[in-house]
Amino acid sequence: MKFVSGSILSVSLLAGFLAAAHARAEDAPTAPAPPPACEVPDYFLSGDTPLPKVAEAIKAGGPLNIMVVGSRSSMIGANPSASETAAYPGQMLAALKAKLPVIQVNLSVEIQAKKTAEEVAPGLSKLVEGKKPTLVIWQTGTVDAMRSVDPDDFRAAIDQGVVALRDAGADAILVNPQYSPRTESMISASAYLDNMRVVAQEHEVPLFDRFALMQKWSEAGEFDLFTTVHSAELAKQVHSCLGRALSEFIMAAAHPKPAQEN
């Protein structure tokens, strides 16, 4: 693997600004702000790439077992259990349970803190073997962008991981890095976004474009991601929006019959 050294501290906001916000939650109580609309355009939910295993599980009446493999940006705060319901995986789970009230939907979250895609990919088969998920949601690219990992190495690792998940019998969704307008001048995520898109197309794996969705919400004024102080409430709102959007993305890709939805 080829690295270009850089200051992790100077760009850690990309992966940690939402996670660190939870630590400020106990400073002083504030009145809750109205929830953002965080609308998701239809083209984000096209469902052109199917999730056959998920569709089969829904048709059979469950269970639907989902495993999220991600970095610290999959959490709110440093403690995974403390953010279990508020972070986007938990919000996704709640939304799916509401959409599929007669189906058992289970969630496990595997945090791979500070690991690149190349470091995570070899262990995906073992994770699937142990958890036996119907669907694996692999959120990656943030650490690689922060460390300026060679894009070709990154692409090869994503390819290896997707093949491993498919060979292990699970559906897969790729989730790209989160968007932060304050770090755009410090790091470039475009090569990693492009490579994830290419691998997703080559293997016909759905790509949840978290980066573009957060960028849209930021530019529409849904969230102030430019501020240097990110509150716990902002973190919860962003994660809530991402979780609900991801649940819609999964349902669109699974193409469940209307009678199966709530």
Side-chain angles (χ1 to χ4, degrees), residues 36-103:
C38 54
E39 296 180 356
V40 182
D42 289 341
Y43 60 83
F44 276 93
L45 308 171
S46 63
D48 291 338
T49 308
L51 294 171
K53 302 290 185 181
V54 174
E56 290 172 11
I58 293 174
K59 184 178 180 180
L64 173 57
N65 300 316
I66 301 175
M67 180 171 68
V68 175
V69 179
S71 63
R72 285 190 61 209
S73 62
S74 301
M75 303 184 295
I76 299 177
N79 186 343
S81 62
S83 66
E84 184 174 344
T85 58
Y88 82 77
Q91 292 293 304
M92 172 200 68
L93 176 65
L96 285 174
K97 285 184 173 181
K99 295 175 184 295
L100 301 167
V102 299
I103 291 178

Side-chain angles (χ1 to χ4, degrees), residues 69 117 137-145 151 154-159 162 173-178 189-211:
V69 179
I137 300 171
W138 186 14
Q139 176 250 299
T140 189
T142 300
V143 176
D144 298 84
F154 175 71
R155 177 175 173 176
I158 299 298
D159 188 273
V162 168
I173 289 177
L174 294 175
V175 178
N176 61 15
Q178 63 184 5
S190 59
Y192 308 96
L193 300 173
D194 290 343
N195 276 295
M196 289 188 72
R197 190 173 298 109
V198 168
V199 173
Q201 291 173 347
E202 287 179 347
H203 292 281
E204 296 185 339
V205 169
L207 172 67
F208 182 74
D209 198 344
R210 178 173 63 157
F211 185 95

Side-chain angles (χ1 to χ4, degrees), residues 203-224:
H203 292 281
E204 296 185 339
V205 169
L207 172 67
F208 182 74
D209 198 344
R210 178 173 63 157
F211 185 95
L213 196 52
M214 288 182 65
Q215 183 177 34
K216 176 189 177 300
W217 290 335
S218 176
E219 293 173 351
E222 296 276 4
F223 304 109
D224 181 9

Side-chain angles (χ1 to χ4, degrees), residues 118-132:
E118 188 175 55
E119 293 167 335
V120 172
L124 289 175
S125 294
K126 188 174 181 180
L127 284 175
V128 172
E129 181 181 346
K131 299 286 186 178
K132 293 182 170 53

Side-chain angles (χ1 to χ4, degrees), residues 207-261:
L207 172 67
F208 182 74
D209 198 344
R210 178 173 63 157
F211 185 95
L213 196 52
M214 288 182 65
Q215 183 177 34
K216 176 189 177 300
W217 290 335
S218 176
E219 293 173 351
E222 296 276 4
F223 304 109
D224 181 9
L225 301 182
F226 283 93
T227 181
T228 58
V229 178
H230 295 280
S231 68
E233 187 61 32
L234 173 63
K236 290 178 181 178
Q237 288 181 352
V238 173
H239 275 266
S240 176
C241 288
L242 286 172
R244 285 183 279 125
L246 187 51
S247 75
E248 293 179 25
F249 185 82
I250 291 170
M251 294 294 283
H255 297 300
K257 295 180 181 179
Q260 294 171 312
E261 298 184 29

